[in-house]
Amino acid sequence: MKKALITGIRGQDGAYLAQLLLEKGCEVYGADRRSGDSGNWRLKELGIEKDVKIVYMDLLELTNIMRVIEKIKPDEVYNLAAQSFVQTAFEQPILTSDIDAIGVLRLLETIRTIKPDAKFYQASSSEMFGRVQETPQTEKTPFYPRSPYGVSKLFGHWITVNYRESYNMFACSGILFNHESPLRGLEFVTRKITYGIARIKYGLRDKIVLGNLDSKRDWGFAKEYVEGMWLMLQQEGPDDYVLATNEAHSVKEFVENAFKAAEYSIAWEGEGVNTKCIDKKTGKILVEISPEFYRPAEVDILIGDPSKAKEKLGWKPVTKFADLVGIMVEADLEKVGMEKRTGYFNETGGNR
Ligand code: NAP
Ligand code: F7E
């Protein structure tokens, strides 16, 4: 039985990847940085909480990483742990770099020393393209990160390439564009919108306050993207791959699609920070803008070309943008409906 270790088991991708690896017959170890046993709402929601073996590991602590790798001796390591919120990276740039950049090196160096034949997946990001140098972005597009998060992920990417080339390690970097789901954290814009709409619908909130509506992202469905991660480690040799849908949509389009899925008819008024989204039926303001949610440097548009992954891995995205929005709205309506009925805000709403 293959042993797989997933860092970031508490996150969106950690949960979907654990589910997939269990289906593939792996013994799945999930690394959680917490020492308390507060459960994991995402694993619970997927019904696999009892099937994943939890180990405690923080990417900031080298000796901790060494003990875990020594104990498990994994065949595959998926490094999904990160301070993954771009906005927070501007507030906590040093911590973000320690986790997202040096944390990758701590893990790679440990694997090289203790279990050099373990296959390694690094969760790289389209944020490394930042101020894009060509469109669509491929594995060969030059990088230009626009946040401490993007810069840190770029270090993680290159150190993964470097360990592959220097020590012949099976180390892959997956350059993944935004991928979302009902398991997405509430701080990210997609889930902030779908959860916010569900709360408006159930009368638990009046409106949603957002930042830049014009930025565009290439949004796919997370459950499909973890399949790409797994495929990368099943190839004959290690390589880097872009996973994306090759379609970009604005935050504003996301809002429009989400309200439509929740059966609202909306209209826009004003411009820039004065933009408002109005409920045509009641005249009430549903969305307002606050500069609080603008970033010091924005990534205006990302659009990825997954041709290499299609050709070499046989991977392709299936869920279309409007369907993804629909899946997320429906899931949040169900969760908030439950919350309203029981009066209990359970963790499936998010853990922050
Ligand atoms: P996520 O939901 O934020 O999960 C990341 C997990 O990392 C969190 O559960 C967090 O634990 C854990 N973590 C943070 N700091 C840690 C530390 N010092 N040591 C150990 N664990 C730590 O992120 P995701 O959306 O699943 O993304 C998975 C990975 O892919 C991340 O590396 C992200 O940067 C990258 N990525 C994501 C996307 C996307 O669109 N989702 C796209 C490209 C790349 P706590 O729960 O305890 O905070
Ligand atoms: O922002 C704009 C915001 O925080 C998307 C992470 O998984 O994907 C994610 O990073 C866009 C940005 O994701 C709000 O300015 C407007 O342009 O959902 P997000 P992200 O920054 O793209 C990449 C690939 C990763 O690797 C990251 O780990 O939406 N936006 N108004 C807003 N964003 C947020 N969060 N909140 C708002 O109110």
Side-chain angles (χ1 to χ4, degrees):
M1 209 183 199
K2 226 187 242 178
K3 286 186 196 172
L5 172 66
I6 303 171
T7 74
I9 194 66
R10 267 184 185 274
Q12 168 189 261
D13 292 5
Y16 283 122
L17 181 63
Q19 184 182 46
L20 178 80
L21 296 179
L22 288 166
E23 282 164 18
K24 300 284 179 197
C26 296
E27 189 175 341
V28 179
Y29 291 83
D32 182 345
R33 67 172 158 168
R34 287 185 189 157
S35 53
D37 186 16
S38 58
N40 179 323
W41 69 267
R42 292 181 168 104
L43 296 185
K44 227 181 269 175
E45 196 158 312
L46 297 181
I48 55 170
E49 201 190 16
K50 293 199 171 70
D51 305 320
V52 177
K53 298 179 166 71
I54 297 296
V55 288
Y56 294 116
M57 185 174 113
D58 195 313
L59 282 190
L60 294 175
E61 175 59 68
L62 178 69
T63 62
N64 181 197
I65 300 173
M66 288 167 70
R67 277 189 294 276
V68 170
I69 299 291
E70 179 67 54
K71 188 174 154 208
I72 300 173
K73 299 223 169 55
D75 301 296
E76 295 180 353
V77 178
Y78 295 86
N79 183 33
L80 309 187
Q83 189 305 95
S84 72
F85 189 38
V86 174
Q87 186 101 34
T88 295
F90 286 106
E91 299 298 324
Q92 301 177 346
I94 298 167
L95 178 66
T96 299
S97 307
D98 208 355
I99 300 170
D100 297 7
I102 305 302
V104 185
L105 179 53
R106 288 188 190 96
L107 191 49
L108 276 169
E109 190 54 15
T110 304
I111 294 169
R112 178 175 88 85
T113 312
I114 298 175
K115 186 75 169 67
D117 64 337
K119 294 181 175 179
F120 179 79
Y121 172 85
Q122 168 57 17
S124 292
S125 166
S126 51
E127 281 292 300
M128 301 188 308
F129 296 120
R131 188 155 158 181
V132 298
Q133 302 296 295
E134 67 177 0
T135 296
Q137 294 87 54
T138 72
E139 295 77 6
K140 295 203 165 85
T141 301
F143 299 114
Y144 194 136
R146 293 271 282 168
S147 65
Y149 171 79
V151 173
S152 306
K153 281 286 179 182
L154 194 48
F155 178 92
H157 169 76
W158 280 120
I159 203 69
T160 299
V161 173
N162 182 254
Y163 268 53
R164 177 168 79 217
E165 293 177 354
S166 305
Y167 307 117
N168 206 20
M169 284 170 65
F170 196 113
C172 298
S173 171
I175 306 174
L176 272 53
F177 284 63
N178 299 52
H179 44 280
E180 318 293 314
S181 74
L183 299 187
R184 189 57 144 148
L186 288 173
E187 66 273 41
F188 300 97
V189 77
T190 54
R191 185 89 203 288
K192 182 174 172 180
I193 295 166
T194 61
Y195 185 67
I197 289 177
R199 288 182 73 79
I200 292 172
K201 186 105 184 172
Y202 279 99
L204 297 169
R205 178 193 288 186
D206 295 331
K207 62 187 173 208
I208 309 166
V209 184
L210 297 173
N212 179 10
L213 294 177
D214 297 324
S215 73
K216 292 188 170 158
R217 290 291 183 274
D218 179 327
W219 276 300
F221 186 24
K223 200 167 156 41
E224 292 162 13
Y225 284 52
V226 299
E227 182 110 28
M229 298 176 187
W230 175 77
L231 282 167
M232 287 178 213
L233 298 201
Q234 313 314 309
Q235 304 306 302
E236 273 192 13
D239 208 342
D240 307 323
Y241 299 90
V242 160
L243 300 186
T245 68
N246 206 1
E247 256 185 50
H249 296 274
S250 66
V251 173
K252 196 171 186 179
E253 280 174 79
F254 195 102
V255 171
E256 288 165 355
N257 277 264
F259 273 114
K260 191 168 167 216
E263 296 175 344
Y264 279 84
S265 181
I266 59 160
W268 294 100
E269 283 178 4
E271 279 187 21
V273 285
N274 297 316
T275 305
K276 290 187 180 14
C277 170
I278 312 286
D279 183 348
K280 278 204 204 163
K281 198 164 143 198
T282 62
K284 283 188 181 163
I285 295 172
L286 297 172
V287 177
E288 259 179 9
I289 306 303
S290 166
E292 183 194 340
F293 298 108
Y294 279 73
R295 291 172 184 177
E298 179 62 281
V299 171
D300 296 325
I301 176 163
L302 290 171
I303 176 160
D305 176 357
S307 300
K308 180 174 168 185
K310 272 188 192 162
E311 190 192 316
K312 302 222 159 133
L313 305 177
W315 179 89
K316 66 173 185 343
V318 178
T319 306
K320 303 300 286 179
F321 174 71
D323 296 330
L324 173 65
V325 179
I327 291 168
M328 292 179 70
V329 169
E330 197 182 317
D332 274 328
L333 284 172
E334 199 176 307
K335 281 176 191 171
V336 177
M338 177 80 82
E339 183 188 333
K340 173 104 180 188
R341 280 192 299 281
T342 60
Y344 173 61
F345 176 79
N346 84 17
E347 277 185 299
T348 57
N351 52 2
R352 280 156 231 266

